[in-house]
Amino acid sequence: MWRDALLVAAKDLRVEARSRVATNQVAPFAALVLVLFAFALDPDRGVLGRAAAGLFWLAVLFSALLAVQRSFALEAHDDARDGLRLSGLDPAGIFLGKAGAVAAQLAVLELLLTGGIAVLYGSDLRGAVILAVTAVAATVGLAAAGTVYGVIAAGLRVRETLLPLLILPVVAPVLLAATKAWDAGLSGASGEGWPWVRLLAVFATVYVGFGVLAFGALLEET
Amino acid sequence: MDPVVRFRSAVSLLGRFPALAGVDLDVARGEAVLVQGPNGAGKTTLLRACAGLVGIASGEVEVLGCDLRRHRRAVRRRVGLLGHAGFLYDDLTVLDNLRFSARAAGRADGDARGALARLGLDGRLADVVVAKLSAGQRRRVAIAAVVARRPELWLLDEPHAGLDSAGRDLLDSLVREAVLAGGTVLIASHEVERAGALASRTVTMAGGRIHPAAVREAAVVA
């Protein structure tokens, strides 16, 4: 399973590295979201500073949608999805590989956006530990849930419009918990954030487990 | 000897339409069988059923000694399907595509390089992304991806389509080599004369069934 996961993740990341969609489109989109929030709310740094955690995770969430959509768009051309089914790879490995590639892209994006909120919103990155642990747990959860719903949507003709409808309600707890945990970290009250990190860890565990068990059936039947 | 492909009263439904309407077929190891018939006869579905890409509603299908319902993944690792699509990733190079195909089937990178050379794709073309290739070159890469897997069962759906004269001759050589090496080949084609010259037996499909008439025996010329 792990060998297959590495093979799929390496393939997806290599495609992204060559196509440069993540660097030329997804990352600028996320940065643009941060800038537009700054315009929309107020140039007053007091408001932006207080809302920084929520705006950061909204930008990550929108970017995650694009990354998941892109992950399955790769398999839509030239019947590559059938090729993946035919490959003989372990479906659990395919799930972990695709989710891992999405998570890796989101992790890089989050690093860039963290710099963005520090510069644009004047956020003080005090609780580095809770910020990092929250980011890991939320990223794994977003990537796993996104990959589960991504494969469901990918089999349908209306996948582009259906995917946000499927994913956004499901990952609402991630948005809430990650925002609360980052709020606590950014305001220097890290202790208040750890219960939210535990919620994120449970979410990630549930979706990774579900994906490992169910991805094969979803890939074959949708 | 147990047949490599064994269909017994196999029915496969596309919606309510029976694409396979009770197929009985045995193909022995080392045989090359041409499946001919008009459009919509069920040739492509038959080949896809051998690879476990379409469901069997009733009846039995065994491939390489395994019940496809229970051992689909194991069978797929040992099968190579050349379909209408090439199952290629446009943003990967020719060599990257072949490496992925070979590794997914548990083969080494050397098999990918061997396939590259066998199909005349080595040298300058190896590092070209597939999106930049002509249709004929893409078809060669798709064939090379099958070769790189070193399959025991070759499933070739209109294999000569899109190839120039040299490519067609090369494909014929590959099929003959596969048969001589003990491989089994199932070819679905409208090019009865050309594909028939490769086959030791021809079966005719119509309306999702195999008709007992028009069975032709021939020697495969090395």
Side-chain angles (χ1 to χ4, degrees):
Chain A
M1 178 176 79
W2 295 109
R3 185 198 74 96
D4 292 353
L6 280 175
L7 186 62
V8 172
K11 182 264 292 176
D12 278 13
L13 291 174
R14 191 169 289 126
V15 169
E16 287 309 328
R18 286 193 187 278
S19 67
R20 299 187 181 174
V21 169
T23 51
N24 292 352
Q25 292 176 28
V26 179
F29 167 78
L32 201 57
V33 170
L34 281 190
V35 173
L36 288 177
F37 277 139
F39 283 141
L41 287 179
D42 199 318
D44 174 5
R45 290 198 165 198
V47 175
L48 287 172
R50 286 195 297 279
L55 300 182
F56 173 89
W57 284 106
L58 267 178
V60 171
L61 187 56
F62 291 149
S63 306
L65 272 177
L66 294 182
V68 169
Q69 218 148 30
R70 171 77 186 148
S71 174
F72 287 95
L74 305 180
E75 312 296 344
H77 186 65
D78 205 17
D79 280 354
R81 183 186 165 106
D82 273 351
L84 207 55
R85 292 167 66 199
L86 263 174
S87 65
L89 292 170
D90 185 341
I94 298 173
F95 165 75
L96 290 173
K98 292 200 84 65
V102 169
Q105 292 171 67
L106 288 181
V108 173
L109 187 76
E110 286 163 18
L111 277 175
L112 295 173
L113 291 181
T114 302
I117 62 166
V119 172
L120 290 172
Y121 302 171
S123 298
D124 188 359
L125 308 173
R126 274 175 286 187
V129 174
I130 194 169
L131 296 185
V133 176
T134 299
V136 170
T139 302
V140 172
L142 284 176
T147 304
V148 165
Y149 289 97
V151 73
I152 294 171
L156 305 169
R157 277 183 298 171
V158 290
R159 53 185 168 262
E160 289 85 2
T161 46
L162 183 63
L163 185 64
L165 287 177
L166 289 175
I167 292 184
L168 290 178
V170 170
V171 298
V174 176
L175 179 65
L176 173 69
T179 299
K180 292 287 187 186
W182 265 51
D183 254 341
L186 293 174
S187 61
S190 296
E192 294 171 18
W194 289 110
W196 295 105
V197 176
R198 281 195 284 277
L199 178 64
L200 289 171
V202 169
F203 184 94
T205 305
V206 166
Y207 268 97
V208 169
F210 180 73
V212 164
L213 294 174
F215 192 79
L218 294 174
L219 185 65
E220 294 293 336
E221 305 302 334
T222 58
Chain B
M1 187 189 290
D2 289 337
V4 169
V5 174
R6 181 176 175 273
F7 281 73
R8 286 291 176 274
S9 307
V11 174
S12 178
L13 300 174
L14 290 179
R16 291 181 179 180
F17 172 74
L20 300 182
V23 168
D24 291 295
L25 178 68
D26 284 331
V27 180
R29 188 171 298 280
E31 254 195 312
V33 175
L34 168 64
V35 184
Q36 66 166 4
N39 290 333
K43 303 185 298 294
T44 294
T45 305
L46 180 77
L47 264 58
R48 288 172 66 84
C50 289
L53 283 178
V54 297
I56 299 298
S58 66
E60 295 173 24
V61 178
E62 284 182 12
V63 176
L64 295 161
C66 301
D67 182 342
L68 256 185
R69 286 198 183 96
R70 287 189 294 166
H71 304 287
R72 189 162 48 194
R73 195 179 141 221
V75 168
R76 284 174 174 171
R77 283 205 161 207
R78 299 161 64 191
V79 163
L81 172 66
L82 178 66
H84 296 171
F87 314 129
L88 301 173
Y89 295 98
D90 269 6
D91 290 315
L92 291 184
T93 65
V94 169
L95 183 56
D96 284 342
N97 268 288
L98 299 191
R99 275 195 190 127
F100 181 71
S101 182
R103 288 178 183 172
R107 304 300 187 191
D109 284 356
D111 292 302
R113 289 195 174 278
L116 202 65
R118 189 69 185 85
L119 269 295
L121 298 164
D122 49 349
R124 191 175 52 84
L125 277 181
D127 296 320
V128 173
V129 291
V130 164
K132 292 187 176 172
L133 299 181
S134 69
Q137 287 171 324
R138 283 183 74 102
R139 192 66 175 162
R140 279 195 185 222
V141 178
I143 295 167
V146 173
V147 173
R149 293 172 65 84
R150 288 202 278 128
E152 294 171 53
L153 174 61
W154 296 58
L155 304 167
L156 308 177
D157 195 359
E158 299 294 351
H160 296 100
L163 291 173
D164 60 16
S165 174
R168 287 164 163 248
D169 291 344
L170 184 56
L171 177 72
D172 291 352
S173 303
L174 287 168
V175 171
R176 289 185 176 115
E177 285 169 21
V179 170
L180 283 174
T184 307
V185 183
L186 215 51
I187 309 169
S189 181
H190 290 294
E191 296 193 43
V192 175
E193 197 168 323
R194 178 137 206 160
L198 299 170
S200 49
R201 185 157 59 100
T202 299
V203 298
T204 303
M205 285 193 81
R209 288 192 172 85
I210 288 179
H211 286 237
V215 174
R216 188 180 64 80
E217 301 284 345
V220 176
V221 182

